[in-house]
Amino acid sequence: MTYFPEEVVEHIFDFVGSHRDRNTVSTVCKAWYQVERLSRRTVFVGNCYAIGPERVMARFPGIKSLSVKGKPHFADFNLVPYDWGGFALPWIVAAARLCPGLEELRLKRMVVTDDGLELLARSFPNFKSLVLISCEGFSTDGLATIATYCRGLRELDLQENEVEDHGCQWLSFFPDSCTSLVSLNFGCLKGEVNGGALERLVARCPNLRSLKLSPAVSVESLNKILARASHLVDLGTGSFAVDHRTDVYHMLMNSFPKFKSLRNLSGFWDASPCCLRAVYPVCTSLTVLNLSYAPAIQGDDLIKIICLCFKLQKLWVLDSIGDKGLAVVASTCKELQELRVFPCDIYGAGTTSVTEEGLLAVSSGCPKLNSLLYFCYQMTNAALITIAKNCPHFTRFRLCILDPGKPDPVTDQPLDEGFGAIVRSCKNLRRLSLSGRLTDQVFLYIGMYAERLEMLSIAFAGDSDKGMIYVLNGCKNLRKLEIRDCPFGDIALLKNVAKYETMRSLWMSSCDITLGGCKALAAKMPRLNVEIINENEETYEFEENLSDLHKLEKIYVYRTVAGPRNDAPDFVWTL
Amino acid sequence: MEDLDNLKATELTLGLPGTDAPEKPSPASTTGANKRANEECCLPVAKKQVVGWPPLRSYRMNSIRIRKMEAEDNTGIYVKVGMDGAPYLRKVDLGVYTGYKELTEALNDMFKCFSLGGAEGHEESGYAITYEDKDGDWMLVGDVPWEMFISSCKRMRIMKGSEARGLSSST
């Protein structure tokens, strides 16, 4: 291959798409490394502290798309202190200096500031797409600078971010000359929205295909927008509650039939059942439906919609759908690939919630089901075993039994056999979240059978260090392991230390890890950052005096070539 | 066999999981956390206090909590009632009364051991029933329509002596 001129090699590499393959290709020889690095257009950094931004940009000067992830996943559930880190600014600064051709930036769980957004907006003349997921630290002022300076912006996608509201005028900062928007999602914004500016923006962007509004956008505004945007493929409504006796409601009823291209529907903030009728005309062509923000919709109304959605591939609902509603899903949605059922209430089993019956029905009726997130109050081994048999194609299986450590209610047994069946049957399982009463046995199964598993989330499970050791010794593709409230201690932590260099990260909280254990790990593995997160103010002042036996509340261990980070707050110690 | 463990497991503690170290022998980190798991499922109260459980994003948790609070609000309008000189306050559910007469009778009953006696604003007894409204002002009970009162009343106080006389004689 080295006989080929570089352009040919580069052309061949164009067909090598995935990050992993490109990474592999670059290790073959120096020549390939060079060709690969200069022709690389997309870089994904799974842990922003695994490598320094300058090093990435220097190696790949031609990148057009950069994705970076910051905080550990458990930050989503408030387990990571607010100012732990994950700052986007160093990445934006480095890219501004070294990769001015950047067109797309995707950040997840990072702290993004208005200054960072302004620098971003001003530094990249070809910038087209900004996607921020679960980020925080910025305000609508930052969005205003993006709107102002990013000429030719195609995509602004804000998913589940914490955005400080400094007024509604940011939308007006899109100049009249901005006609290039293809995708605009600001569903997570809490403040007022300038309806007029929004309507005008939508009207002048003929390529707009995806629009997701925040709850502050009224139905009246929605009507006006829908009148101008009949080519939408993906719509997230704003507020979807309006009195059925009004003109606004009648207009809404008449809006949807015009949408020939609509495939994805979401939003429905506080939707009322009568408003939901407006979408019946488009249900038969929907592939994605998210009703999980509409707690007022009861099971029967959900069923009325779902029985029209026979092309549905992805469904997110609340557990008010009930087992009965899931049976309707099973009989109607034969194309279903992804199902997420969220709880309406976490304080006790309501009369309408879901059990193993609902999931059983879906598993038997929906042969293409491969991704699941299911919150329920109970699950049985028998059901899981049947589900595993019905759906061997699961790639993501996340089951959350709301009562931690709850056994099979029929047999009073732990759910080891049920989850064991899942990992044995689903050979392509990449992500697994466990719950319910579980012993070390389930981890034995996971270690033995879950060969493709990349991410494992464990809570309130296991009996001893053996559990964690089974996982670390098996699961050869494991990348992320996150554990909370399990009886795993130093012995487990230190049994297979080389494993951590093959993984992106390990999170352990409320387990039995001691300071001594972490010190030993850090000493053996210099290329890992062993971070101790200590929120107990009494102890961190006396760092040096803490005994090695001191139990640690939270640790985060990750491989890195960048050494200990220099932006860690006081309560984070890197050993 | 598990029953002895469960006895300990049902013991409520405020400590973080894993901090009851002094009480368990060293190799019992296995049983210790198993007890922890038992605790979680034996005590429904405990699960509410577990941080980050269930694993739901903040937005969803907040909307669940808000709905629960709204539901609870609808099951009674409890306000505190204090009386000058009484060593403790009481709570009454304004929703169960149909008007001022019933309310005053109930308060009389509640506080008679502190010798309230008589109807509201009765000059000889020297007591007046007042309430704090939404604006934070202290008002005399009885001036506004009942419905308006129960929607604006945050708490009540039974005033005595000269203060009360001043209030009741100003009408």
Side-chain angles (χ1 to χ4, degrees), chain B residues 62-169:
Chain B
N62 289 342
S63 58
I64 289 175
R65 282 201 196 102
I66 288 170
R67 267 181 278 129
K68 177 171 159 63
M69 278 175 359
E70 281 172 2
E72 280 173 347
D73 279 348
N74 292 336
T75 59
I77 316 165
Y78 281 96
V79 298
K80 291 182 187 171
V81 188
M83 180 167 128
D84 294 342
Y88 50 80
L89 282 73
R90 300 296 302 270
K91 253 201 171 157
V92 293
D93 180 355
L94 296 177
V96 311
Y97 307 113
T98 55
Y100 289 115
K101 186 160 176 294
E102 264 190 52
L103 173 65
T104 340
E105 279 167 10
L107 289 178
N108 275 341
D109 241 20
M110 236 183 226
F111 285 93
K112 65 172 174 252
C113 51
F114 304 115
S115 60
L116 168 59
E120 64 172 6
H122 198 281
E123 288 181 36
E124 277 122 35
S125 71
Y127 283 88
I129 309 177
T130 62
Y131 71 100
E132 186 184 22
D133 72 359
K134 281 191 167 132
D135 298 328
D137 297 318
W138 284 93
M139 320 286 288
L140 185 68
V141 165
D143 285 336
V144 300
W146 174 251
E147 296 303 314
M148 194 187 291
F149 163 70
I150 59 174
S151 66
S152 57
C153 172
K154 280 176 31 194
R155 63 180 137 136
M156 295 195 281
R157 189 170 139 236
I158 304 171
M159 291 164 102
K160 67 168 184 207
S162 47
E163 289 174 53
R165 206 166 290 131
L167 272 173
S168 38
S169 64

Side-chain angles (χ1 to χ4, degrees), chain A residues 76-77 134 160 269 292-293 295 342-344 346-347 375 400-404 437 459-460 463-464 484-485 487 510 512, chain B residues 16-18 29-30 33-34 36 38 40-41 47-48 50-61 64-65 67-68:
Chain A
D76 284 353
F77 318 128
S134 305
E160 300 189 317
W269 308 96
S292 64
Y293 297 110
F342 295 95
C344 250
I346 56 177
Y347 297 104
F375 285 83
C400 179
I401 300 164
L402 287 159
D403 204 345
R437 171 88 63 84
F460 304 103
D463 305 315
S464 75
R484 63 163 296 177
D485 292 275
S510 306
D512 291 336
Chain B
L16 290 167
S29 57
T30 57
N34 207 20
R36 195 190 309 139
N38 283 342
E40 307 295 2
C41 63
K47 84 170 174 239
K48 287 185 208 171
V50 178
V51 174
W53 189 267
L56 282 172
R57 303 294 311 283
S58 320
Y59 180 85
R60 290 194 195 274
M61 283 295 263
I64 289 175
R65 282 201 196 102
R67 267 181 278 129
K68 177 171 159 63

Side-chain angles (χ1 to χ4, degrees), chain A residues 297-566:
Chain A
I297 309 291
Q298 295 306 311
D300 289 337
D301 292 305
L302 285 172
I303 288 173
K304 285 192 199 131
I305 284 211
I306 287 171
C307 60
L308 298 169
C309 300
F310 56 85
K311 288 198 187 146
L312 212 56
Q313 293 173 15
K314 191 156 120 167
L315 175 64
W316 291 24
V317 279
L318 292 171
D319 63 2
S320 45
I321 192 173
D323 288 336
K324 193 168 136 211
L326 287 177
V328 175
V329 172
S331 58
T332 314
C333 309
K334 297 301 181 187
E335 302 298 314
L336 196 69
Q337 295 176 28
E338 176 177 319
L339 175 66
R340 295 198 191 188
V341 180
F342 295 95
C344 250
D345 180 13
I346 56 177
Y347 297 104
T351 46
T352 50
S353 58
V354 297
T355 69
E356 71 275 14
E357 295 300 324
L359 187 55
L360 262 171
V362 176
S363 74
S364 105
C366 304
K368 299 188 182 174
L369 192 66
N370 60 49
S371 173
L372 180 75
L373 172 60
Y374 197 76
F375 285 83
C376 58
Y377 286 90
Q378 63 180 52
M379 183 55 60
T380 63
N381 280 311
L384 281 173
I385 291 168
T386 309
I387 289 162
K389 225 180 335 198
N390 291 340
C391 288
H393 305 300
F394 274 122
T395 53
R396 293 181 195 85
F397 191 87
R398 292 192 282 164
L399 181 66
C400 179
I401 300 164
L402 287 159
D403 204 345
K406 183 170 173 161
D408 179 329
V410 172
T411 62
D412 211 38
Q413 292 298 303
L415 292 173
D416 302 332
E417 296 307 312
F419 280 106
I422 294 283
V423 293
R424 237 191 319 258
S425 164
C426 304
K427 309 243 185 286
N428 287 323
L429 195 66
R430 294 198 312 263
R431 183 168 181 183
L432 178 64
S433 296
L434 307 170
S435 59
R437 171 88 63 84
L438 295 163
T439 71
D440 289 342
Q441 186 69 9
V442 73
F443 300 113
L444 176 66
Y445 292 143
I446 292 173
M448 258 179 11
Y449 297 111
E451 290 191 351
R452 297 256 168 91
L453 193 66
E454 296 176 5
M455 181 168 177
L456 180 62
S457 309
I458 309 172
F460 304 103
D463 305 315
S464 75
D465 290 321
K466 285 202 282 199
M468 184 169 163
I469 293 170
Y470 290 142
V471 172
L472 292 175
N473 286 346
C475 299
K476 46 187 211 274
N477 283 306
L478 193 64
R479 291 193 291 136
K480 287 183 282 183
L481 181 58
E482 47 185 25
I483 303 172
R484 63 163 296 177
D485 292 275
C486 295
F488 304 143
D490 296 338
I491 296 175
L493 183 71
L494 296 169
K495 192 73 175 182
N496 186 354
V497 293
K499 178 77 172 176
Y500 304 127
E501 268 193 15
T502 68
M503 289 166 52
R504 183 187 300 171
S505 65
L506 167 71
W507 167 279
M508 292 182 76
S509 57
S510 306
C511 296
D512 291 336
I513 304 295
T514 69
L515 182 57
C518 282
K519 283 184 181 170
L521 176 60
K524 283 191 194 176
M525 305 295 293
R527 282 190 302 205
L528 297 178
N529 275 355
V530 179
E531 285 191 11
I532 295 168
I533 298 167
N534 185 3
E535 297 164 281
N536 183 349
E537 285 186 15
E538 281 170 20
T539 51
Y540 77 72
E541 279 163 18
F542 301 102
E543 186 181 327
E544 301 89 49
N545 299 334
L546 278 183
S547 100
D548 281 359
L549 294 174
H550 177 76
K551 283 260 172 77
L552 298 174
E553 195 43 40
K554 295 176 182 171
I555 68 165
Y556 185 50
V557 179
Y558 54 91
R559 66 180 177 191
T560 180
V561 294
R565 55 184 176 113
N566 54 17

Side-chain angles (χ1 to χ4, degrees), chain A residues 179-347:
Chain A
T179 56
S180 48
L181 278 180
V182 173
S183 166
L184 177 62
N185 171 7
F186 57 92
C188 59
L189 294 189
K190 296 185 207 121
E192 292 285 307
V193 173
N194 182 335
L198 175 60
E199 289 150 33
R200 287 189 296 277
L201 180 61
V202 170
R204 66 178 182 272
C205 292
N207 297 324
L208 195 67
R209 294 292 172 268
S210 171
L211 179 64
K212 293 186 184 166
L213 309 170
S214 67
V217 178
S218 66
V219 178
E220 265 157 334
S221 220
L222 177 64
N223 282 336
K224 292 194 196 133
I225 289 167
L226 293 184
R228 310 290 221 125
S230 52
H231 295 299
L232 280 180
V233 171
D234 183 357
L235 172 68
T237 72
S239 147
F240 213 67
V242 80
D243 193 313
H244 65 271
R245 293 164 291 190
T246 58
D247 288 339
V248 174
Y249 174 76
H250 289 294
M251 270 194 73
L252 185 66
M253 288 296 137
N254 292 327
S255 296
F256 280 87
K258 302 195 202 100
F259 284 92
K260 307 293 176 219
S261 330
L262 200 60
R263 296 287 172 268
N264 298 8
L265 262 186
S266 58
F268 297 111
W269 308 96
D270 292 322
S272 54
C274 60
C275 289
L276 219 48
R277 295 214 304 260
V279 309
Y280 288 179
V282 293
C283 285
T284 51
S285 33
L286 286 184
T287 53
V288 175
L289 180 60
N290 180 353
L291 286 165
S292 64
Y293 297 110
I297 309 291
Q298 295 306 311
D300 289 337
D301 292 305
L302 285 172
I303 288 173
K304 285 192 199 131
I305 284 211
I306 287 171
C307 60
L308 298 169
C309 300
F310 56 85
K311 288 198 187 146
L312 212 56
Q313 293 173 15
K314 191 156 120 167
L315 175 64
W316 291 24
V317 279
L318 292 171
D319 63 2
S320 45
I321 192 173
D323 288 336
K324 193 168 136 211
L326 287 177
V328 175
V329 172
S331 58
T332 314
C333 309
K334 297 301 181 187
E335 302 298 314
L336 196 69
Q337 295 176 28
E338 176 177 319
L339 175 66
R340 295 198 191 188
V341 180
F342 295 95
C344 250
D345 180 13
I346 56 177
Y347 297 104

Side-chain angles (χ1 to χ4, degrees), chain B residues 2-63:
Chain B
E2 289 254 10
D3 285 336
L4 287 172
D5 280 352
N6 279 337
L7 207 55
K8 175 82 172 67
T10 53
E11 199 179 293
L12 263 176
T13 63
L14 286 177
L16 290 167
T19 55
D20 53 350
E23 292 188 15
K24 48 182 192 196
S26 42
S29 57
T30 57
T31 50
N34 207 20
K35 282 178 196 167
R36 195 190 309 139
N38 283 342
E39 271 173 44
E40 307 295 2
C41 63
C42 291
L43 301 171
V45 176
K47 84 170 174 239
K48 287 185 208 171
Q49 297 163 347
V50 178
V51 174
W53 189 267
L56 282 172
R57 303 294 311 283
S58 320
Y59 180 85
R60 290 194 195 274
M61 283 295 263
N62 289 342
S63 58

Side-chain angles (χ1 to χ4, degrees), chain A residues 26-44:
Chain A
S26 68
T27 60
V28 167
C29 64
K30 280 210 173 94
W32 280 30
Y33 176 89
Q34 277 294 94
V35 174
E36 198 282 317
R37 73 172 259 266
L38 294 171
S39 62
R40 179 92 140 223
R41 297 288 167 255
T42 313
V43 166
F44 167 73

